[in-house]
Amino acid sequence: MSTTTELLKGAAELFPGEVVTQAHVRHFDLPLGAGTFALITLDNGLDHTKPTTFGPQSLANLDAAIDQVEAEAKAGKIVGVGVTGKPFIFAVGADLKGVELLKTREDALAIGKGGHEVFKRLSSLAVPTFAYYNGAAMGGGVEVGLHCSYRTVSKAIPAFSLPEVFLGLLPGWGGCVLLPNLIGADRAVSVIIENSLNQNRQLKGKQVFELGIADAIFEGADFLEQSLAWTAAVLKGELQVSRPEVDRGEAWDAAVERGRAFADSKVHGAAPAAYRALEIISAAKNGDLRQGFDAESGALADLIMGEELRSGIYAFNLVQKRGKRPAGAPDKSLARPVTKVGVVGAGLMASQLALLFARRLEVPVVMTDIDQERVDKGVKYVHDQIDMLLLKGRVNQDKANRLKAAVTGSLDKAAAFGDADFVIEAVFEEMGVKQQVFAEVEAVVPEHTILATNTSSLSVSEMASKLKHPERVVGFHFFNPVAILPLLEIVRGERTDDAALATAFGVAKKLKKTAVLVKDAPAFVVNRILVRFMGEIQNVIDEGTPVAVAEKAVEPLGLPMSPLVLLELVGPAIGLHVSETLAGAFPDRFKVSPNLAAVVKAGKRGFYVYDSGKPELDPEVAALLQQGDTVLTEEQVRARVLDGVAQEIGLMLDEGVVAEAQDIDLCLITGAGWPFHLGGVTPYLDREGVSERVNGKRFLEPGVASVPA
């Protein structure tokens, strides 16, 4: 029994639930009389909604297929070997369900070494090898192709990436070593580090070709046929594949430093994966593949046994599974059809909503406001955005014309909403204003119409309390920017019925949003946690801690931006309003910062100016600050902030604001951009011991977002 076979057999015993990928070998004669060719097709026997992955048994199957073609190549029976995937899917990497189960570094090391031992055999066959990226390729799916002599890619590929760093891993089956040696360190850093840390940005087929990862690109319709014809030309010597020489001088080192600076800007040193990947890319400059592969396996084992990866997998599963099957959502059969949408308001948020509804639902959308100028401005914003989509090639001219025709404005609510099935308000955040708007809308809409509010903090129940049919009012809280942040907090008021709620979830799905059911509680989920988080920062500043110390204190969390930069993005006035709402509801825990109130009163957009390109405390804001004489250290600030957040989450769970801690994390990841390597927030609080210190217990059971005991 070979070492590889032993490794994979042992690993397979740890993965009893693996969805096994087969590696089917078939033979045929290439065009141009080029000879007999062996094609390995990776296929798990399921449709494209269940992508092909590599667990231990799947790797063993590929290993066995390589045994076969290796013998055929040595015997002179074949002239080349190709690897491709099932329709729409090439392969999407390691089976993460199995990775979650690993308990020891030795087991993790076996996975790293097993993948290397199988994949690198493709580069040592006696005949040239070809990877045909026919569909989605990620992680190990990309890497198996990098071990081949040549690669082609389909123009139709929707997703191609090395996403491991995003999850807390690194490309550990050759990616960190082979990719920079193929396309240069600078481009490799973009793919491995930048794209991963930019919310797992995907490449399209054209980009894969332009980066030099693939040697040729063909249309999706006859991709394999064209790839085989190209293969024949290469094997016959009629076509020479040329690749630019890789710069192994200062450019390589500069690329690695650029990657480190980018990682610092995203995770602030708080997650190890990017830095381990950059170490291996740096060392790969010498071209020593064996040394590089060993380094990958070791780093992979270390990261698999790290808590950040377990949090990353936990976060991935939240978004991919829980986010698609919202906890507590009513039976979807209760949802009513939505054939026309009304938007009350024509400001920036309302206009973003109108554009989203028109694009995703493809139904008429009518905007109203208090005067024609505002209505016209809102409609113009939407039409201008559609023109931008046209310029970027995101829609064609026909689609652009239809979208523009779908979005109109009116001053007459009766004419605008008389046949609407779903009306959402996005007006000034004041209870009296919203109640008046709903009263006016209820008077003119059919009885089946759902009335939705985009309120960020006000009571949905109180908003509906004066209506004849409060049961059809539902909270539908988006996050800004609407086109980017996936979260939609769907709020059930005291009298909201199942039909209204089911319709809201149905609309959310069509909008391609991640919907989470939330109880009608002050500020719901994201804003309540963020205001507690930022409120503690503001409190210590008010008490006397310097702004820079308070901001730097939370850097170890690796958040996408500092608290005061986030406040600037949200808008100080909105932040003040939500803090006033929460201070009214929970005066023992939430305070209204006098310094924040002063900043808002002065009309300042935030605490910082950017004259040097970096955030610096605005001298005018510094002059406004009234501080006490209690100065805390970074460690003290961090402990106070985390204790406050843990306390608030514990209270929210006790109140039943959401079903489980998992929903808190899902909300923070998709609505506030909290990083995957934290798993949202509760795994981090558990890991740091904050949960037990504050609440006397963990939020999650051991083994959930952590290494199993």
Side-chain angles (χ1 to χ4, degrees):
M1 185 182 287
S2 71
T3 304
T4 304
T5 304
E6 290 176 358
L7 275 173
L8 295 175
K9 183 180 179 183
E13 292 173 359
L14 301 171
F15 288 17
E18 178 184 352
V19 177
V20 177
T21 296
Q22 303 298 329
H24 305 289
V25 181
R26 57 191 174 116
H27 301 84
F28 42 81
D29 294 329
L30 288 170
L32 308 175
T36 301
F37 190 77
L39 181 66
I40 300 171
T41 301
L42 305 171
D43 190 345
N44 62 6
L46 303 169
D47 67 19
H48 68 280
T49 64
K50 305 288 185 184
T52 302
T53 55
F54 292 117
Q57 186 56 54
S58 304
L59 288 171
N61 290 342
L62 177 57
D63 195 45
I66 295 173
D67 281 343
Q68 178 183 337
V69 298
E70 181 180 57
E72 292 168 349
K74 285 180 179 177
K77 294 180 179 180
I78 55 174
V79 294
V81 175
V83 181
T84 193
K86 67 183 183 181
F88 308 110
I89 303 289
F90 182 78
V92 298
D95 185 344
L96 291 178
K97 294 191 300 297
V99 172
E100 287 180 88
L101 303 175
L102 296 175
K103 296 181 180 180
T104 70
R105 189 180 186 279
E106 291 71 24
D107 293 338
L109 191 62
I111 296 299
K113 287 186 173 180
H116 274 123
E117 292 302 317
V118 175
F119 286 4
K120 72 183 183 183
R121 295 184 66 195
L122 289 166
S123 62
S124 59
L125 293 179
V127 294
T129 51
F130 298 78
Y132 305 134
Y133 292 123
N134 64 300
M138 300 177 198
V142 171
E143 290 172 296
V144 70
L146 294 178
H147 285 268
C148 294
S149 315
Y150 304 96
R151 286 155 295 281
T152 67
V153 68
S154 167
K155 283 184 182 178
I157 279 188
F160 184 104
S161 65
L162 289 169
E164 288 87 349
V165 168
F166 177 64
L167 294 172
L169 273 177
L170 52 71
W173 286 341
C176 289
V177 177
L178 295 175
L179 191 62
N181 278 290
L182 176 67
I183 63 174
D186 194 63
R187 289 180 169 185
V189 164
S190 293
V191 175
I192 295 170
I193 306 297
E194 285 188 272
N195 288 359
S196 290
L197 293 180
N198 272 326
Q199 295 300 306
N200 193 19
R201 180 187 293 158
Q202 299 293 314
L203 299 171
K204 307 291 187 187
K206 183 181 178 185
Q207 295 168 299
V208 173
F209 174 65
E210 289 173 346
L211 283 168
I213 299 172
D215 301 302
I217 183 169
F218 302 110
E219 295 290 346
D222 58 351
F223 170 71
L224 186 57
E225 182 182 350
Q226 292 293 325
S227 293
L228 292 172
W230 180 86
T231 297
V234 170
L235 291 173
K236 292 279 286 183
E238 297 177 7
L239 193 154
Q240 298 294 321
V241 174
S242 61
R243 298 173 185 144
E245 187 175 347
V246 171
D247 188 334
R248 299 181 184 279
E250 292 181 3
W252 191 292
D253 299 330
V256 172
E257 287 308 308
R258 181 175 68 82
R260 285 201 179 96
F262 187 83
D264 286 342
S265 73
K266 289 291 186 179
V267 300
H268 309 285
Y275 303 98
R276 294 295 296 269
L278 287 163
E279 289 172 10
I280 297 170
I281 293 170
S282 178
K285 179 180 177 180
N286 65 14
D288 186 331
L289 299 186
R290 175 172 289 280
Q291 182 184 61
F293 292 165
D294 287 344
E296 283 183 344
S297 294
L300 197 65
D302 291 341
L303 292 169
I304 286 175
M305 297 313 296
E307 301 290 0
E308 288 81 9
L309 171 66
R310 305 309 172 115
S311 293
I313 295 174
Y314 164 79
F316 181 81
N317 288 336
L318 287 181
V319 173
Q320 295 298 319
K321 296 176 182 177
R322 194 178 185 91
K324 290 177 170 57
R325 291 185 289 277
D331 192 312
K332 61 184 178 181
S333 66
L334 298 173
R336 297 168 183 158
V338 175
T339 59
K340 183 179 180 181
V341 172
V343 180
V344 185
L348 180 58
M349 176 58 86
S351 300
Q352 290 183 73
L353 297 183
L355 175 62
L356 181 69
F357 277 99
R359 287 191 68 193
R360 300 293 187 218
L361 269 61
E362 298 186 347
V363 299
V365 178
V366 187
M367 306 172 71
T368 67
D369 214 311
I370 58 175
D371 60 51
Q372 193 64 48
E373 183 181 353
R374 284 183 170 87
V375 171
D376 292 344
K377 185 178 179 181
V379 173
K380 182 179 185 300
Y381 171 89
V382 176
H383 288 191
D384 288 348
Q385 292 298 307
I386 293 167
D387 286 337
M388 289 296 294
L389 293 171
L390 178 63
L391 279 173
K392 293 176 180 177
R394 304 276 294 277
V395 297
N396 59 30
Q397 187 66 60
D398 179 58
K399 182 72 174 286
N401 292 342
R402 283 188 282 117
L403 288 174
K404 284 185 177 182
V407 180
T408 58
S410 174
L411 286 176
D412 185 345
K413 287 187 176 66
F417 305 149
D419 57 348
D421 305 303
F422 191 97
V423 177
I424 184 168
E425 68 77 22
V427 300
F428 185 66
E429 192 78 348
E430 201 278 316
M431 182 60 74
V433 173
K434 291 182 183 288
Q435 285 180 330
Q436 180 184 341
V437 162
F438 272 157
E440 292 172 358
V441 172
E442 186 179 49
V444 299
V445 297
E447 286 197 6
H448 71 271
T449 304
I450 305 301
L451 304 183
T453 170
N454 185 46
T455 183
S456 59
S457 61
L458 300 178
S459 168
V460 174
S461 302
E462 185 180 349
M463 212 176 293
S465 62
K466 298 180 180 180
L467 298 178
K468 294 177 182 175
H469 296 286
E471 70 277 0
R472 59 176 168 176
V473 177
V474 63
F476 213 61
H477 180 215
F478 290 87
F479 289 79
N480 203 11
V482 170
I484 296 173
L485 290 175
L487 180 63
L488 189 51
E489 289 178 339
I490 294 184
V491 186
R492 182 170 206 155
E494 290 175 4
R495 298 178 65 180
T496 305
D497 66 18
D498 283 351
L501 208 59
T503 304
F505 276 101
V507 170
K509 186 173 183 179
K510 289 180 180 177
L511 293 176
K512 299 183 179 179
K513 291 296 182 182
T514 299
V516 176
L517 180 61
V518 179
K519 181 182 176 182
D520 187 17
F524 314 126
V525 176
V526 172
N527 283 339
R528 182 164 165 183
I529 293 171
L530 289 185
V531 170
R532 184 70 193 269
F533 177 82
M534 294 165 70
E536 296 295 349
I537 295 286
Q538 288 164 345
N539 289 342
V540 299
I541 292 172
D542 292 349
E543 292 164 12
T545 299
V547 170
V549 174
E551 286 267 82
K552 200 166 188 299
V554 293
E555 277 190 4
L557 276 72
L559 299 176
M561 62 189 73
S562 74
L564 293 183
V565 172
L566 174 60
L567 178 66
E568 188 173 307
L569 179 68
V570 171
I574 294 174
L576 178 63
H577 170 75
V578 179
S579 68
E580 288 171 340
T581 299
L582 284 163
F586 310 115
D588 58 322
R589 302 192 307 281
F590 291 87
K591 298 177 183 178
V592 177
S593 165
N595 283 318
L596 177 58
V599 168
V600 173
K601 185 176 180 181
K604 305 300 293 185
R605 296 181 60 185
F607 278 64
Y608 294 128
V609 290
Y610 297 84
D611 297 336
S612 65
K614 295 182 178 180
E616 296 177 355
L617 187 62
D618 184 339
E620 294 180 13
V621 170
L624 291 172
L625 296 181
Q626 299 290 319
Q627 293 182 279
D629 54 10
T630 302
V631 179
L632 301 183
T633 65
E634 290 178 20
E635 292 75 16
Q636 289 171 323
V637 172
R638 185 162 57 251
R640 182 159 158 185
V641 170
L642 294 177
D643 284 3
V645 170
Q647 180 193 33
E648 203 60 38
I649 292 172
L651 290 167
M652 291 167 70
L653 292 171
D654 289 344
E655 294 166 21
V657 175
V658 290
E660 293 182 292
Q662 283 87 337
D663 292 314
I664 298 277
D665 293 319
L666 181 59
C667 285
L668 285 175
I669 292 163
T670 57
W674 279 44
F676 262 51
H677 72 263
L678 292 185
V681 63
T682 67
Y684 180 82
L685 295 172
D686 286 349
R687 188 160 67 241
E688 295 296 311
V690 181
S691 310
E692 292 185 71
R693 182 172 74 235
V694 174
N695 300 321
K697 60 181 179 180
R698 295 168 59 96
F699 288 115
L700 303 170
E701 292 295 320
V704 178
S706 59
V707 177

